[in-house]
Amino acid sequence: LSHPECYGGLVFTSPRALEAIRICLKEKSKKEAWSKSLKQMWNMKPTYVVGKATASLVEEVGLIPQGEKSGNAEKLAEYICSREKPNSSALLFPCGALKREVLPAVLREKGIPLESLTVYQTTQHPDLQESLSTYFSQQGIPASIVFFSPSGVKFCLQHIQKLSGDLINQVKFAAIGPTTAQAMEGAGIPVSCTAGSPTPQELAAAIHRALHPQNC
């Protein structure tokens, strides 16, 4: 972050990457450097983001997001390719250890350099199994379950299947987007609905349609 002159811009595809940025800027000296000059230097270059949640966090650190309506990595990659020239300065991509290769692959194909930097790791919450067990014992089998990421499917599904038993077929499973839907299908879950775009409104509308098909 201290060397904006080395890069052509920034790419963020998750809120966690912004949390890492905030941790970097916690130290007083780094915060001052960011406010005095670094932020302005980065704002002379594009900051590409994948959705509204990430865009709002980008704004909070003082940067101007672009491409937030893209909604997923594939569409963001297309958006970047339409604005960047091949063989220009590399875009800095702070990302997670589980990042998909879609965005890097598309940019590589178009000759747009990208420097991926792993800044966080996705792990299972230590209380996940206990929390799910408590919910199911108190509330029973839910009408719908929403997955927000492939890692959510990876870490939660086995517990949900165990707790639901034969009644799992009654549950409507929803996905926040196509990537999560693919992970669900890969794990053998029937996807009842996918949000049209990764926003609370679109997700709520999709779940409503899945639960009340006769009201469409």
Side-chain angles (χ1 to χ4, degrees):
L1 288 175
S2 301
H3 298 284
E5 71 281 358
C6 297
Y7 299 96
L10 289 158
V11 180
F12 294 110
T13 58
S14 82
R16 266 81 55 203
L18 268 302
E19 287 173 30
I21 300 299
R22 282 173 148 170
I23 291 167
C24 287
L25 300 176
K26 264 185 178 175
E27 276 182 39
K28 193 181 175 187
S29 60
K30 289 175 183 172
K31 207 170 189 176
E32 283 175 2
W34 180 259
S35 299
K36 281 179 182 172
S37 62
L38 293 175
K39 183 171 63 177
Q40 288 87 333
M41 289 167 77
W42 279 113
N43 270 330
M44 292 168 72
K45 304 162 189 285
T47 298
Y48 297 109
V49 300
V50 85
K52 283 187 178 179
T54 306
S56 63
L57 292 171
V58 162
E59 286 170 347
E60 281 179 26
V61 296
L63 298 174
I64 302 158
Q66 292 183 29
E68 64 187 82
K69 289 181 180 172
S70 50
N72 61 49
E74 288 90 337
K75 287 180 182 170
L76 181 64
E78 287 171 20
Y79 179 82
I80 293 171
C81 289
S82 72
R83 302 173 72 90
E84 294 290 326
K85 291 175 184 167
N87 304 315
S88 50
S89 297
L91 299 170
L92 179 62
F93 179 31
C95 56
L98 295 179
K99 80 166 188 313
R100 290 165 69 235
E101 286 303 315
V102 172
L103 189 139
V106 172
L107 297 192
R108 200 181 305 122
E109 198 178 291
K110 300 286 184 182
I112 296 164
L114 183 75
E115 188 177 308
S116 300
L117 183 68
T118 302
V119 295
Y120 70 92
Q121 189 167 344
T122 305
T123 58
Q124 181 174 316
H125 193 285
D127 300 331
L128 177 63
Q129 191 171 350
E130 189 183 332
S131 297
L132 283 169
S133 299
T134 301
Y135 178 89
F136 274 76
S137 63
Q138 291 176 355
Q139 306 287 336
I141 310 294
S144 64
I145 294 174
V146 185
F147 284 111
F148 285 83
S149 67
S151 55
V153 178
K154 177 185 169 186
F155 294 133
C156 298
L157 182 59
Q158 56 180 337
H159 302 310
I160 289 167
Q161 286 170 326
K162 194 174 175 183
L163 291 162
S164 302
D166 294 338
L167 297 175
I168 197 162
N169 296 329
Q170 297 177 12
V171 180
K172 301 287 186 187
F173 285 97
I176 190 64
T179 306
T180 303
Q182 282 172 12
M184 291 160 69
E185 285 163 0
I189 310 176
V191 181
S192 300
C193 62
T194 304
S197 64
T199 64
Q201 294 81 2
E202 289 279 344
L203 179 60
I207 295 168
H208 183 74
R209 285 193 297 270
L211 292 174
H212 309 284
Q214 71 276 13
N215 293 339
C216 287

